[in-house]
């Protein structure tokens, strides 16, 4: 379910902002009406739609092995199959914890976005629908963590505090760019996970629900980011490029919680070092971000210092 994107050309950093006239507002409302209709047809209640009491199946993974951070490293080949599967269990929990963190941020950004907009508009009604989706997703992820028998893996304190500042001060286009960064890489991984019969059925069910509902969220964020980048003043577009680049650098570090290695009996420093030099892992992260970076480049966000920061994050090859 790849969200469609229109073919509007990216703006020029030196061009004056274009006005958002009645046509742009009508387009925004039509997009929101379609997303509301899709939400009515395809929404889930994870508490009822997933079998939380089904036993785990022996020998199945909790995340596709190719997406586990240590895959194809020297340490991976020294690990037993049981230890690899256990690492996938902990990394699945760490990614669910990361998802909860992102969604907490996203919900606050969405409330900020619609705070002074007409409550009866389809655009606002869809934002509220998305917030309700994200509440269910966060509860679903938390329940999956508990069901897996692992600890939760909150972000590092520094990242937690940086996000606190960001969600308070970010520009509107910056909010939607960060939203897409938090959604699209994990979404790419989940699209590989839910059809994979090597993975535990409950994890596949969780990822399937998230992918189906997240496709609407991505569409909403992409359309709004395109609109914001076309109308924002030059200073705001440039600030968004830099903030987005910094968020990419934080995201690339936060995506793997080093505590998972300790919890499965590995040397944390050795594991972290091997992940950092893993060609396979770089390929996975860049491929996961490729659809997003193509879009951000199209709307003019990957320029200047911002592009250099994306390269240093490891999410952009060139």
């Amino acid at each position: 379910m790849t969200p469609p994107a229109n073919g509007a050309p990216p703006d020029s950093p030196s061009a004056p902002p274009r006005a958002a006239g009645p046509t742009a507002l009508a387009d925004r409302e039509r997009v929101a009406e379609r997303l509301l209709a899709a939400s009515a047809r395809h929404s889930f209640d994870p508490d009822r739609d997933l079998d939380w009491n089904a036993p785990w199946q022996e020998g199945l993974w909790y995340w596709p092995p190719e997406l586990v951070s240590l895959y194809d490293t020297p340490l991976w080949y020294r690990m037993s199959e049981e230890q690899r599967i256990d690492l996938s269990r902990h990394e699945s929990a760490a990614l669910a914890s990361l998802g909860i963190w992102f969604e907490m941020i996203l919900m606050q950004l969405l409330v900020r976005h619609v705070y002074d907009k007409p409550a009866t508009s389809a655009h606002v009604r869809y934002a509220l629908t998305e917030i309700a989706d994200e509440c269910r997703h966060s509860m679903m992820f938390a329940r999956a963590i508990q069901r897996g028998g692992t600890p939760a893996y909150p972000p590092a304190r520094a990242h937690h505090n940086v996000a606190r500042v960001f969600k308070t001060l970010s520009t509107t286009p910056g909010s939607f760019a960060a939203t897409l960064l938090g959604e699209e890489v994990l979404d790419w991984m989940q699209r590989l996970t839910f059809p994979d019969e090597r993975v535990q059925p409950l994890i596949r069910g969780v990822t399937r629900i998230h992918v189906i509902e997240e496709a609407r969220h991505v569409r909403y964020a992409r359309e709004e980011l395109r609109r914001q980048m076309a109308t924002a003043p030059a200073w705001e577009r440039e600030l968004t490029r830099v903030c987005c680049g910094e968020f990419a650098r934080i995201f690339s570090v936060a995506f793997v919680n080093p505590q998972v290695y300790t919890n499965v009996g590995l040397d944390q420093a050795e594991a972290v070092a091997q992940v950092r030099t893993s060609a396979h892992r770089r390929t996975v992260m860049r491929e996961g971000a490729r659809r997003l970076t193509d879009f951000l480049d199209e709307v003019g966000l990957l320029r200047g210092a911002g592009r250099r920061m994306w390269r240093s994050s490891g999410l952009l090859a060139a």
Side-chain angles (χ1 to χ4, degrees), residues 15 58 78 121 124 133 135 159 191 200-201 207 233 266 270 296:
E58 187 173 353
R78 299 205 314 262
S121 71
V124 170
D133 288 346
C135 284
H159 294 160
R191 286 171 184 268
Q200 297 284 352
T207 55
L266 299 173
E270 180 185 16
L296 295 181

Side-chain angles (χ1 to χ4, degrees), residues 297-309:
D297 202 16
E298 176 192 337
V299 298
L301 267 173
L302 296 187
R303 299 179 184 177
R307 189 178 191 91
R308 291 191 293 274
M309 295 164 82

Side-chain angles (χ1 to χ4, degrees), residues 169-187:
L169 301 177
S170 72
T171 64
T172 300
S175 296
F176 281 100
T179 294
L180 288 169
L181 177 59
E183 290 177 337
E184 293 215 29
V185 177
L186 187 57
D187 178 74

Side-chain angles (χ1 to χ4, degrees), residues 201-259:
L202 178 61
I203 301 301
R204 293 174 62 195
V206 167
T207 55
R208 177 178 176 272
I209 286 175
H210 196 247
V211 163
I212 291 172
E213 296 190 336
E214 208 69 16
R216 302 191 293 265
H217 304 175
V218 169
R219 172 70 187 277
Y220 183 79
R222 280 185 172 224
E223 292 292 336
E224 191 60 26
L225 179 57
R226 189 190 301 279
R227 185 178 294 108
Q228 293 289 333
M229 287 298 290
T231 58
W235 69 265
E236 190 171 11
R237 297 198 302 273
E238 187 56 37
L239 178 61
T240 299
R241 292 180 185 109
V242 173
C243 290
C244 185
E246 181 59 25
F247 203 70
R249 294 203 297 192
I250 292 172
F251 175 87
S252 64
V253 174
F255 209 79
V256 176
N257 191 310
Q259 189 60 38

Side-chain angles (χ1 to χ4, degrees), residues 30-153:
R30 281 197 293 269
V31 168
E33 291 285 4
R34 288 196 294 269
L35 293 174
L36 284 165
S39 297
R41 291 192 304 269
H42 300 295
S43 288
F44 299 89
D45 179 351
D47 287 337
R48 293 189 300 181
D49 295 333
L50 296 173
D51 185 357
W52 294 97
N53 296 317
W56 298 114
Q57 296 185 21
E58 187 173 353
L60 292 188
W61 297 78
Y62 296 79
W63 205 242
E66 297 82 4
L67 300 182
V68 175
S69 61
L70 281 170
Y71 182 82
D72 199 31
T73 63
L75 187 52
W76 178 264
Y77 293 112
R78 299 205 314 262
M79 296 164 65
S80 67
E81 186 76 353
E82 181 181 4
Q83 196 173 29
R84 293 171 183 171
I85 290 175
D86 199 35
L87 178 59
S88 79
R89 180 170 68 99
H90 282 266
E91 288 206 0
S92 177
L95 288 169
S97 301
L98 187 71
I100 293 169
W101 180 49
F102 280 141
E103 288 175 347
M104 292 287 190
I105 297 168
L106 167 59
M107 287 186 277
Q108 294 177 73
L109 293 176
L110 280 173
V111 169
R112 276 184 54 200
H113 174 60
V114 301
Y115 180 74
D116 57 357
K117 291 179 172 52
T120 55
S121 71
H123 184 74
V124 170
R125 285 191 293 120
Y126 181 74
L128 297 175
T129 300
E130 181 171 334
I131 291 168
D133 288 346
E134 300 294 20
C135 284
R136 291 194 304 275
H137 294 170
S138 294
M139 291 186 289
M140 175 176 69
F141 289 160
R143 190 169 181 181
I145 294 168
Q146 288 183 313
R147 182 70 181 80
T150 69
Y153 288 94

